[in-house]
Amino acid sequence: MRNIFLRGVSVVSKHSRLMIAVSLVVLLQTSVCLLLAADTKSGTTISLQELIELSLDYNSKNKASNRYLPPEHITFIVKKYFYQIETQVEQLDMAKEVRDHFQKAVEKSEEIFESGEGDVSQADLAKLKLGLSNTLNNIIDLEHDIQIGKLNLGKLINKKIRDVSDIAVTDPIPIDFPHTSFDDYLIAKNLTPLAKKVAGKVGIFSNEIHAEQPTKLTEENRLLLYKAYLGVTSSKDKVILGKKNRKITRALLVSEVANYDFGIGDSQELFEALVMYTRVFSSYLDSIYNLNVSAAELTKLTDSIYTRN
């Protein structure tokens, strides 16, 4: 009996050790897979700056052909496509969120309409279905435009971009444009003679011309830069306004969705909140895109002036 007991203990012990060994192997394999996945992801993600460098390098190889473009023009195009994809990816996420709200509202409204116990009419139900259909159409358009943007970027860097995850896109962020006036911008870019005060030993200030020779502007170039500068400032104002409107419509949407879920909301008001949220948020994202592209356009014009001088 004692031997039987010992053999049983031995079997259990071996079984336990086997289970522990298997568990350790599984954990090790999982860890390795996660590390490889993280390493692969970090290795394939290309930042905006890297895209610019790759495109400039590929463009330089075409210097002897008619496909060569000025470097400042290549940089601008890359930024434009990058900002486009970044904006449309966020708009796509928003459209999918709105689609889910519409689908849920349609299902709930159909239940209420069929039961005959609520205030949902055939017209209310039709509006929600049309809103859903329009949102699905927007999703198709955005997915198509993102694909085209990837093809355009891939052509510039001579490399196929398989997925949006290959590009280091983030939530669209307005570019920092600290210049408070056009003259301030020109001074910052050394496009006008800059006088600065230098303190002497006795504390007396004297005017001296900046050591670096400023780039002279023709009236035509100054006008071009001023128009581009105004484009940046107006886009910046729209971003500020759009941010406020987005917060208002977001709060309205959350309120209407919650009311409808609890059975105290109105389908018409929910429909209007979803449509308004889509329009305002999409417009806000467009304003960020316009600001960033306007700033890139101003940089391109400025760089082209440096090149010509």
Side-chain angles (χ1 to χ4, degrees):
M1 176 67 76
R2 184 170 179 271
N3 289 335
I4 294 173
F5 175 74
L6 290 175
R7 281 200 300 273
V9 171
S10 177
V11 170
V12 172
S13 177
K14 290 179 180 178
H15 180 70
S16 299
R17 289 199 297 271
L18 178 61
M19 292 298 294
I20 292 173
V22 171
S23 299
L24 288 173
V25 170
V26 172
L27 287 172
L28 180 60
Q29 289 178 337
T30 303
S31 299
V32 170
C33 289
L34 289 173
L35 288 172
L36 287 174
D39 184 63
T40 301
K41 185 177 180 181
S42 62
T44 57
T45 301
I46 310 174
S47 68
L48 173 57
Q49 186 57 42
E50 288 170 334
L51 286 169
I52 292 173
E53 291 171 0
L54 287 170
S55 62
L56 288 174
D57 181 63
Y58 179 62
N59 181 61
S60 65
K61 296 175 182 177
N62 299 321
K63 212 159 191 176
S65 69
N66 57 3
R67 291 183 297 171
Y68 178 79
L69 293 172
E72 64 271 12
H73 189 68
I74 289 290
T75 300
F76 170 73
I77 296 175
V78 172
K79 287 181 179 180
K80 187 175 181 179
Y81 286 139
F82 182 87
Y83 294 142
Q84 171 199 321
I85 293 174
E86 194 174 57
T87 301
Q88 290 171 340
V89 165
E90 185 68 13
Q91 287 176 331
L92 181 60
D93 288 342
M94 179 268 295
K96 289 180 178 179
E97 178 194 2
V98 172
R99 173 202 62 192
D100 293 343
H101 285 311
F102 267 124
Q103 286 177 336
K104 190 174 181 181
V106 167
E107 292 171 2
K108 190 177 183 68
S109 296
E110 284 178 335
E111 292 177 3
I112 297 173
F113 179 74
E114 291 172 1
S115 68
E117 298 178 356
D119 296 331
V120 176
S121 66
Q122 185 72 47
D124 294 333
L125 187 56
K127 283 183 179 180
L128 290 173
K129 288 182 177 180
L130 287 173
L132 174 60
S133 178
N134 187 56
T135 302
L136 293 174
N137 188 67
N138 289 340
I139 290 174
I140 293 172
D141 286 341
L142 287 167
E143 289 176 339
H144 169 267
D145 291 343
I146 291 170
Q147 291 293 331
I148 296 300
K150 287 190 303 178
L151 290 173
N152 288 330
L153 265 183
K155 184 178 179 181
L156 287 169
I157 65 175
N158 195 31
K159 178 181 178 182
K160 184 177 181 181
I161 299 174
R162 296 165 298 174
D163 192 72
V164 173
S165 59
D166 292 345
I167 312 170
V169 294
T170 60
D171 293 342
I173 300 173
I175 196 168
D176 182 28
F177 192 77
H179 309 290
T180 56
S181 68
F182 182 56
D183 287 337
D184 176 51
Y185 176 79
L186 293 179
I187 291 172
K189 298 300 179 181
N190 199 32
L191 292 171
T192 55
L194 177 64
K196 72 174 184 178
K197 296 179 178 181
V198 180
K201 292 182 180 180
V202 293
I204 300 174
F205 287 91
S206 60
N207 291 332
E208 291 186 3
I209 301 298
H210 195 276
E212 184 181 348
Q213 186 66 28
T215 301
K216 295 181 179 180
L217 282 175
T218 63
E219 285 299 320
E220 181 182 1
N221 285 339
R222 183 183 175 88
L223 180 60
L224 287 173
L225 284 179
Y226 186 50
K227 287 180 178 179
Y229 174 84
L230 291 177
V232 177
T233 55
S234 63
S235 297
K236 189 175 180 180
D237 292 339
K238 289 179 180 179
V239 168
I240 296 172
L241 180 61
K243 187 176 182 179
K244 295 178 181 178
N245 292 337
R246 185 201 62 174
K247 288 181 178 180
I248 295 172
T249 53
R250 180 66 186 176
L252 176 63
L253 176 63
V254 170
S255 175
E256 291 298 334
V257 168
N259 288 340
Y260 204 72
D261 286 343
F262 282 115
I264 59 175
D266 181 79
S267 62
Q268 175 65 21
E269 292 178 355
L270 176 60
F271 170 81
E272 291 176 356
L274 285 167
V275 171
M276 187 180 300
Y277 174 71
T278 300
R279 185 175 66 251
V280 171
F281 194 14
S282 182
S283 177
Y284 169 66
L285 293 173
D286 283 339
S287 69
I288 295 178
Y289 168 78
N290 290 332
L291 169 60
N292 293 347
V293 171
S294 296
E297 173 74 22
L298 179 59
T299 300
K300 183 191 76 169
L301 288 174
T302 304
D303 291 342
S304 66
I305 290 172
Y306 288 141
T307 303
R308 290 196 296 266
N309 285 272

